[in-house]
Amino acid sequence: MILSEAQKEENRHDDGHGNGGNRGTMIVDATCAPSNIRYPQDASLLNEARENTEKLLDELHDSADGRKPRTYRTQAHRDFLQFSRSRKKTAKKIRKAVGKQLRHLARNLAAIEEKLALGRTLAERKAARLAAIRTLYEQQKYMYDHCCHTVPDRIVSVSQPFLRPIVRGKAGKPVEFGAKLDISVVNGWTRLECFSFDAYNEARNLSAMAERFWKREGHYPSRILADKIYRNRENLRFCKEHGIRLSGPALGRPKKDEIRNKTLDFLDECERVEVERRFSLAKRKCGLGLIMTRLRETIAHSVAMSILVLNLRKIQCALLRLLAFLVLWLAPLKKQPLFS
């Protein structure tokens, strides 16, 4: 049934006063869609950036300019191989290898700047690659000079500089490198609510997801099942204003005489597992476990297609159940004689 705008506004007003207009359950959670990149190590990233600058310098150089600027590529490659083949990489060895690659990369970038100053130009794609290498050099130089391992918007891939490390805290995968996304599950249907290459706090998207639910259904959900991270003061205030029950315990210390409904908490947690099943199925069967595409747009399309396939599998299961019912219903009819 399609509701008019007046009916939707009336339902929204009733929900805000807690008059029982809310219906349905929305389950929300966030995960990371890791991309197919090599595990980022500082020396390896600098070596890859150095090799890219050597190719750019070869393209920018003209034989009429005279002798090509020195890059010491043979020595730089030999130094990196010696480091990468060493069995025990101590902190001293790592710092020494990073310092060597930084000096080689700085020399190449200076030579490229001289060529560009002469009026040489690069294609748009290669110019973007050069800009990413400059940013990578600045970040690695800052961490090398300050003896630290963190920097804002850290580049973890030369070919995909928009990827960021996403801290998960999971066993075996504390950090993943890819896009972060939020999904919601309503009546078995999965929706992609938020998608970003930067790490963000998923709790800030809860009110927006509830508003989109109202625009679709004409009313707010009666309850939202989510992790503890979603239970901040802002979300609790929003849910209280609109008559929504947000699963989980109250903030702060438990009150002295408080009696928690453990049965309700257990049932909420059992139903919230549905979103974890969706993540597991999407990563095992629908391609969300390892994104093979390399561009921003194609990665976004791959994630969206994974969610679409997830919903198509639900339709497939429903059709198979209907087919099984028809087979069981028609089987006795085949055994009956046509004429009595």
Side-chain angles (χ1 to χ4, degrees):
M1 181 178 64
I2 301 177
L3 299 178
S4 64
E5 293 297 330
Q7 290 174 326
K8 286 185 177 182
E9 195 64 32
E10 182 180 357
N11 286 343
R12 183 171 185 171
H13 178 75
D14 292 343
D15 297 342
H17 289 79
N19 292 329
N22 297 357
R23 296 187 301 277
T25 300
M26 183 170 67
I27 313 173
V28 299
D29 204 354
T31 189
C32 176
S35 295
N36 184 30
I37 64 171
R38 183 179 66 252
Y39 189 86
Q41 295 178 336
D42 294 340
S44 178
L45 284 174
L46 290 171
N47 179 71
E48 183 180 357
R50 176 189 59 79
E51 292 175 348
N52 278 265
T53 54
E54 290 169 358
K55 294 178 181 178
L56 293 177
L57 192 57
D58 293 341
E59 180 179 346
L60 290 173
H61 178 69
D62 190 357
S63 57
D65 297 339
R67 188 175 181 181
K68 184 185 298 184
R70 292 184 177 181
T71 58
Y72 300 95
R73 63 184 71 189
T74 304
Q75 182 63 36
H77 182 65
R78 187 183 299 115
D79 292 339
F80 177 73
L81 286 181
Q82 184 179 2
F83 166 75
S84 61
R85 290 172 180 175
S86 60
R87 299 183 62 182
K88 188 174 182 180
K89 298 179 177 63
T90 62
K92 186 176 180 180
K93 284 185 178 180
I94 294 174
R95 181 171 177 81
K96 184 178 180 180
V98 169
K100 287 183 178 180
Q101 296 299 323
L102 279 173
R103 288 187 287 272
H104 288 300
L105 183 58
R107 184 186 300 108
N108 293 349
L109 288 175
I112 291 175
E113 292 297 336
E114 292 178 359
K115 295 295 182 181
L116 294 177
L118 296 177
R120 308 292 164 74
T121 57
L122 289 171
E124 182 179 357
R125 183 176 179 182
K126 294 181 180 180
R129 177 66 60 87
L130 179 60
I133 292 174
R134 288 194 186 112
T135 305
L136 173 65
Y137 171 76
E138 293 173 358
Q139 293 178 353
Q140 293 292 334
K141 188 69 167 61
Y142 175 85
M143 291 188 291
Y144 181 81
D145 293 340
H146 294 80
C147 298
C148 62
H149 299 284
T150 57
V151 67
D153 297 329
R154 183 174 181 177
I155 293 179
V156 295
S157 174
V158 176
S159 59
Q160 297 172 275
F162 49 85
L163 295 180
R164 296 290 178 266
I166 307 296
V167 179
R168 299 291 312 285
K170 305 291 184 180
K173 290 185 178 179
V175 181
E176 291 182 341
F177 308 95
K180 190 172 183 179
L181 62 142
D182 284 11
I183 69 168
S184 66
V185 180
V186 180
N187 297 327
W189 299 102
T190 307
R191 289 180 174 84
L192 181 62
E193 298 286 354
C194 182
F195 176 86
S196 175
F197 289 104
D198 296 323
Y200 61 88
N201 187 357
E202 55 265 30
R204 69 184 184 186
N205 298 323
L206 185 66
S207 59
M209 287 189 280
E211 291 292 343
R212 285 193 289 269
F213 183 95
W214 173 81
K215 290 181 180 179
R216 292 193 306 266
E217 306 292 339
H219 56 81
Y220 288 102
S222 61
R223 58 176 181 163
I224 296 178
L225 307 182
D227 279 337
K228 291 182 180 180
I229 192 173
Y230 290 90
R231 291 185 60 82
N232 55 28
R233 297 185 183 279
E234 182 180 353
N235 289 339
L236 289 173
R237 188 184 305 111
F238 174 85
C239 291
K240 185 177 181 180
E241 290 175 356
H242 297 88
I244 304 172
R245 183 174 68 84
L246 184 58
S247 63
L251 297 179
R253 292 183 178 181
K255 297 180 180 179
K256 185 176 181 181
D257 300 330
E258 181 183 9
I259 300 176
R260 290 287 302 171
N261 190 343
K262 295 184 178 180
T263 303
L264 182 62
D265 294 342
F266 177 76
L267 293 176
D268 287 345
E269 186 62 25
C270 290
E271 293 186 39
R272 196 197 68 81
V273 173
E274 177 64 24
V275 72
E276 302 292 348
R277 295 195 190 100
R278 296 290 168 174
F279 284 146
S280 177
L281 183 60
K283 291 189 175 185
R284 288 185 296 108
K285 299 294 185 180
C286 303
L288 197 65
L290 188 63
I291 304 298
M292 304 299 293
T293 51
R294 302 178 65 85
L295 301 179
R296 282 178 176 267
E297 297 79 8
T298 53
I299 291 176
H301 292 165
S302 298
V303 172
M305 289 299 296
S306 298
I307 303 301
L308 175 63
V309 172
L310 205 59
N311 291 320
L312 291 178
R313 290 179 66 93
K314 175 180 170 60
I315 299 176
Q316 180 188 24
C317 292
L319 293 177
L320 290 177
R321 285 195 294 268
L322 177 61
L323 180 61
F325 173 77
L326 292 176
V327 169
L328 293 176
W329 182 64
L330 294 175
L333 299 180
K334 293 182 178 180
K335 298 180 180 179
Q336 296 179 3
L338 296 178
F339 302 99
S340 57

